Amino acid sequence: MALPMRSLFTDPDRYLQSFRLFLANSTEHQCMQEFMERQLPSVIGSIGNGKSAINILSVGGGAGEIDLLILSKIQARYPGVTINNHVIEPSADQIFKYKEHVAATSNLENVKFTWHEETAYEYESRMSAEKKTKKWDFIHMIQMLYYVKDVSATIRYFHSLLEEQAKLLIILVSDKKAETRRSFTQGHKY
Ligand SMILES: C[S@@+](CC[C@H](N)C(=O)[O-])C[C@H]1O[C@@H](n2cnc3c(N)ncnc32)[C@H](O)[C@@H]1O
């Protein structure tokens, strides 16, 4: 008898195993680190100008390794400025790991973390039900757009939440082997 196919998206353990295997066998995190070192500083160059607090939204933040790297660059660019870092992440296990990573990281005194255990679409629906339109100085979606049903609608919604001078960063793997495509939008264009 044929066994039903287990979906990566409905089986969190299998998904995490696959993602760890992918990381171990690709240059993904290495490419990402290079990007964070070389290009992120110019992307975030003006998001916090004149602000006493910077509001960041991480969509699909996972276990937070990349988020913490991003935060360290923002702290370096805006020393002492308060950072409100919100994370949309549907996996309780990933949030648990994210909290562990935060606990093991020093120099995060000026960063306040808030986790929303829900999908991007659930966040949008909840905000709409609560009639809230919180705006953000920096929104990033790193390796997560594969998992949403409607990519355009998701980008449109989060793009609409950008403050003036804000940035939306999207990172996806390209179809070329061992290469990561990064694209980012500036201001209100994409
Ligand atoms: C490949 S991981 C990337 C994690 C992290 N951004 C990184 O680059 O290391 C994708 C993350 O998106 C989350 N995710 C899956 N579906 C989602 C959705 N519909 N909305 C928001 N996040 C989602 C997963 O739980 C997972 O943590």
Side-chain angles (χ1 to χ4, degrees), residues 8-9 12 15-16 19-20 57-65 67 85-99 114-124 126 140-145 147-148 158:
L8 283 183
F9 308 116
Y15 161 75
L16 286 175
F19 186 52
R20 293 283 159 218
L57 183 61
S58 161
V59 187
E65 294 105 322
D67 287 21
N85 187 70
H86 285 236
V87 183
I88 298 172
E89 171 52 58
S91 158
D93 185 63
Q94 291 293 84
I95 291 179
F96 183 80
K97 290 197 170 72
Y98 197 131
K99 290 179 179 172
T114 307
W115 287 272
H116 305 279
E117 192 184 318
E118 58 195 351
T119 63
Y121 183 68
E122 285 164 351
Y123 175 86
E124 178 179 352
R126 184 170 58 79
H140 55 84
M141 302 170 160
I142 301 176
Q143 303 281 43
M144 67 71 60
L145 275 175
Y147 310 103
V148 302
F158 286 101

Side-chain angles (χ1 to χ4, degrees), residues 40-48 70 73-74 77-78 138 167:
L40 188 71
S42 68
V43 176
I44 57 166
S46 58
I47 60 168
I70 291 175
K73 300 295 172 203
I74 295 177
R77 171 66 184 85
Y78 302 100
F138 187 44
K167 297 272 171 71

Side-chain angles (χ1 to χ4, degrees), residues 32-84:
M32 203 84 81
Q33 274 179 349
E34 256 178 60
F35 174 80
M36 298 303 164
E37 294 302 326
R38 295 193 187 158
Q39 301 191 45
L40 188 71
S42 68
V43 176
I44 57 166
S46 58
I47 60 168
N49 284 352
K51 303 209 167 206
S52 56
I54 299 174
N55 295 313
I56 302 174
L57 183 61
S58 161
V59 187
E65 294 105 322
I66 299 296
D67 287 21
L68 289 170
L69 200 53
I70 291 175
L71 284 168
S72 70
K73 300 295 172 203
I74 295 177
Q75 285 177 309
R77 171 66 184 85
Y78 302 100
V81 172
T82 299
I83 299 173
N84 297 310

